[in-house]
Each structure stands twice: as C-alpha cells, then as structure tokens.
Amino acid sequence: MGRPAPANVFEALGDPVRRAILQLVAGGERSAGALVEEIREYTPISQPAVSQHLKVLREAGLVRVRSETNRRFYALEPDGLAAAREWLAELVDPLAGFAQPLDALATEVARGKRERRGKSTGAATDRTDRTA
C-alpha cells in the first residue's frame, strides 16, 4: 500500500467514534473485541458498527490489522499520520519544500561570485606584473 491520501485520512477523522478508536489504538495494539468494549463506554454502539469504523480507518491508512487465529488486532499506522502531518505542515509553511534547493542555489551563487572575484583579482595582478 502506498502513502495514504491526506483527503482520505481527514475524511476518516471526521467522525468522533473513529477519532476515539484512533486514540485507543495510539495507546497500543487492541483486539477488535476490546475496542468494541472500550468504545461502548463512550457511546452505545453495536459491534458491526465498530467493525465498519475500523474498516474505514484501515482503508484510510490510519490503522493496520493483524490476524491471530480467529482474533483481529488493530494498531496505529504511522504512515497515515505522517501523510496528515505533512499536509498540515504545508499549510503552516508552504515554501518549506523549497528551502533546501534555495540554500543550494545560494551556495552556488556565492561560489560563482568568489570565483569571478578571484579571476578578476588574478588578472589585475598579472597586468601589474607585466607592466613593472
């Protein structure tokens, strides 16, 4: 699976039950049954409804699932959070992606100036030596 699309991540996070599930799995891997019990402490919800929320979170790239015999365990998927974090960072500093290339360009410009100064200083010295 490639990098999750930020639009899918934020759409999945639009539901308060899914946000609660995400907070629970952020604390460590949980079985589907444990998640149902913990979510029921917040809101009356059926097991199939929790399963549907888990499916949305999985498809958005926010959780991963591991099967063990007849149980399923869910854990946080860091790539989904990284996609959201990068998208938000672009809002805060839209030019951040250009910082390193611009720094490299500034270095090359400075190097070119030094070389030109060195050549012009060397040429003036050569002319002075010849006239003396």
Side-chain angles (χ1 to χ4, degrees), residues 20-35:
I21 290 171
L22 203 60
Q23 286 179 313
L24 290 170
V25 297
E29 187 179 68
R30 301 266 201 305
S31 70
L35 286 168

Side-chain angles (χ1 to χ4, degrees), residues 3 6 79-92:
R3 185 71 157 216
D79 285 347
L81 296 178
R85 186 179 301 116
E86 288 170 11
W87 188 84
L88 290 169
E90 287 177 20
L91 291 178
V92 173

Side-chain angles (χ1 to χ4, degrees), residues 18-131:
R18 290 194 284 266
R19 289 193 304 270
I21 290 171
L22 203 60
Q23 286 179 313
L24 290 170
V25 297
E29 187 179 68
R30 301 266 201 305
S31 70
L35 286 168
V36 170
E37 289 175 21
E38 291 178 81
I39 291 298
R40 283 183 176 162
E41 292 176 15
Y42 299 106
T43 184
I45 190 168
S46 67
Q47 182 276 325
V50 172
S51 293
Q52 184 61 38
H53 285 298
L54 286 166
K55 179 182 176 186
V56 171
L57 290 169
R58 191 178 69 247
E59 289 174 352
L62 289 166
V63 298
R64 63 176 173 255
V65 63
R66 176 178 65 84
S67 295
E68 188 175 292
T69 61
N70 62 345
R71 297 176 71 191
R72 297 181 77 134
F73 294 88
Y74 291 85
L76 197 61
E77 179 57 64
D79 285 347
L81 296 178
R85 186 179 301 116
E86 288 170 11
W87 188 84
L88 290 169
E90 287 177 20
L91 291 178
V92 173
D93 188 5
L95 299 178
F98 295 105
Q100 188 173 2
L102 289 176
D103 288 345
L105 177 61
T107 301
E108 289 303 316
V109 168
R111 181 177 294 136
K113 285 181 180 179
R114 278 194 308 272
E115 288 175 2
R116 283 192 301 278
R117 264 187 274 143
K119 288 179 182 177
S120 66
T121 305
T125 305
D126 288 347
R127 273 187 257 140
T128 307
D129 291 341
R130 278 186 247 148
T131 58

